[in-house]
Amino acid sequence: MSKPLRYVNAIAQALSDAMTDDPSVMLFGEDVAAAGGPFKATRGLLDTHGPDRVRDTPISEASIVGAAVGAALTGMKPVVEIMFMDFVALAMDAVVNQAAKARFMFGGQCSVPMVLRTPHGGGLNAGPQHSQCLEAWFAHIPGLRVVCPATVADAYSLLRASIEAPDPVVFVENKALYALQGDIDVNAPREIGKARIDRPGRHVTIVTYGATLYAARAAADRLAQDGVEAEIIDLRWIQPWDEETVFASVAKTHRVVIAHEAVQAFGVGAEIAARIASDLFDELDAPVLRVGAPFMPIPFAKSLETAYLPDADRIVAAVKDTLA
């Protein structure tokens, strides 16, 4: 049974349902309790689940994530919020050197079942220190899982999957999607590492994730007017990513464009493009093309930010290049 919710409310619902189902789940972060979170993703949870399980913290990202690692190692399932993904740089030691490596360093005798929630992305004119997409940092680290849901349904089901996972998950939310409305299914499969074919097609594959899914949909609509049927794959999970689904699509269409909001250089798209080129070279009828942000900080000015962010125009242009 589904019900319409905003993306941000689907996050809150997933957190509340997980806390109801499992008493070891707890939340903490800056302003997540009394204020309900900077984007209201934790609104009402303090009243429902109490101050022992929903806790405000000092403004210290290193302390927040360090405490989460300790809590996870001792049997809890903490979900922590880093207010903007840009601020996670202050917590990198706890994430990269502790959470990601504990299972390996202790010979599988322990795990760190924690979730780090954090919003990324532009579109709100928040400037270069509050808009970065840094998911590639974490996808590079063995021991971490990274997910970036694009839809309301996935915001709910993939957060539930992340909380239930036995190892640390970086759960990335695009803040431009928080007002997006859609349905959730509380009984939907809670899958890790599975992509979704958002739109079937036969001429070209567009691989994407997060908010760029909607630019890809707009591009596919425009391409359809010219008789080009684009298949859109919403990766959902960045680490591990669903090679099987992507490779099957590329083997069918023989052309691929990879689009994401993050900086194009050394990004998620670069890894996927390299894998396709090495493992599916004989299936390709054209070079693998990428669409991403330019190699520069995100501007404050609305006009400049609009020009900076990847959009449908750039995806259409890339697709046409592959078909030329």
Side-chain angles (χ1 to χ4, degrees), residues 6-15 117 148-162 171-173 177-178 180 183-184 236:
R6 291 179 183 267
Y7 187 111
V8 71
N9 298 130
I11 296 290
Q13 186 68 52
L15 292 170
R117 288 184 46 247
C148 188
T151 67
V152 174
D154 280 348
Y156 178 88
S157 63
L158 298 182
L159 183 51
R160 293 298 306 271
S162 299
F171 189 92
V172 185
E173 307 156 12
L177 298 180
Y178 278 146
L180 182 71
D183 294 337
I184 67 169
R236 309 200 299 171

Side-chain angles (χ1 to χ4, degrees), residues 89-152:
L90 297 163
M92 289 297 276
D93 181 69
V95 178
V96 171
N97 289 328
Q98 309 305 327
K101 295 177 173 60
R103 180 185 288 277
F104 179 82
M105 292 180 68
F106 294 107
Q109 297 179 80
C110 65
S111 61
V112 183
M114 62 169 279
V115 177
L116 188 156
R117 288 184 46 247
T118 188
H120 76 168
L124 302 182
N125 313 122
Q129 295 176 326
H130 296 76
S131 306
Q132 296 174 91
C133 296
L134 303 174
E135 54 274 8
W137 285 5
F138 299 102
H140 187 69
I141 303 300
L144 294 180
R145 301 178 184 186
V146 184
V147 62
C148 188
T151 67
V152 174

Side-chain angles (χ1 to χ4, degrees), residues 2-298:
S2 64
K3 53 184 178 180
L5 286 176
R6 291 179 183 267
Y7 187 111
V8 71
N9 298 130
I11 296 290
Q13 186 68 52
L15 292 170
S16 187
D17 289 351
M19 296 180 78
T20 298
D21 292 347
D22 187 344
S24 67
V25 178
M26 62 183 301
L27 315 178
F28 49 96
E30 298 165 15
D31 293 331
V32 301
F39 297 100
K40 305 308 176 186
T42 54
R43 177 185 286 170
L45 299 183
L46 174 63
D47 294 337
T48 303
H49 299 285
D52 288 340
R53 300 179 67 195
V54 183
R55 301 189 176 203
D56 284 327
T57 67
I59 303 175
S60 175
E61 286 77 10
S63 299
I64 294 168
V65 181
V69 174
L73 286 168
T74 53
M76 302 301 291
K77 293 182 179 177
V79 181
V80 298
E81 177 176 312
I82 300 299
M83 191 178 292
F84 292 90
M85 194 173 200
D86 316 67
F87 302 166
V88 80
L90 297 163
M92 289 297 276
D93 181 69
V95 178
V96 171
N97 289 328
Q98 309 305 327
K101 295 177 173 60
R103 180 185 288 277
F104 179 82
M105 292 180 68
F106 294 107
Q109 297 179 80
C110 65
S111 61
V112 183
M114 62 169 279
V115 177
L116 188 156
R117 288 184 46 247
T118 188
H120 76 168
L124 302 182
N125 313 122
Q129 295 176 326
H130 296 76
S131 306
Q132 296 174 91
C133 296
L134 303 174
E135 54 274 8
W137 285 5
F138 299 102
H140 187 69
I141 303 300
L144 294 180
R145 301 178 184 186
V146 184
V147 62
C148 188
T151 67
V152 174
D154 280 348
Y156 178 88
S157 63
L158 298 182
L159 183 51
R160 293 298 306 271
S162 299
I163 294 170
E164 293 168 2
D167 294 300
V169 177
V170 178
F171 189 92
V172 185
E173 307 156 12
N174 193 297
K175 52 187 175 286
L177 298 180
Y178 278 146
L180 182 71
Q181 291 193 334
D183 294 337
I184 67 169
D185 180 357
V186 298
N187 298 313
R190 298 169 190 172
E191 301 174 314
I192 291 178
K194 287 292 185 181
R196 179 177 60 85
I197 298 176
D198 185 75
R199 175 175 179 148
R202 60 193 180 96
H203 294 132
V204 62
T205 298
I206 301 174
V207 179
T208 188
Y209 63 87
T212 311
L213 171 66
Y214 299 94
R217 286 179 178 178
D221 287 342
R222 287 168 49 184
L223 291 163
Q225 296 173 7
D226 295 328
V228 176
E229 298 176 19
E231 179 152 291
I232 300 175
I233 296 179
D234 177 7
L235 280 179
R236 309 200 299 171
W237 289 89
I238 296 166
Q239 184 63 270
W241 63 280
D242 189 350
E243 298 177 18
E244 181 179 357
T245 297
V246 173
F247 285 5
S249 179
V250 175
K252 177 176 67 173
T253 66
H254 309 292
R255 293 173 171 83
V256 58
V257 171
I258 306 163
H260 53 60
E261 184 175 330
V263 169
Q264 178 173 304
F266 296 89
V268 172
E271 169 62 17
I272 297 173
R275 289 297 305 279
I276 292 171
S278 65
D279 294 3
L280 288 183
F281 182 79
D282 290 340
E283 296 286 356
L284 293 172
D285 288 345
V288 179
L289 296 185
R290 293 176 291 148
V291 175
F295 192 65
M296 62 171 286
I298 304 174

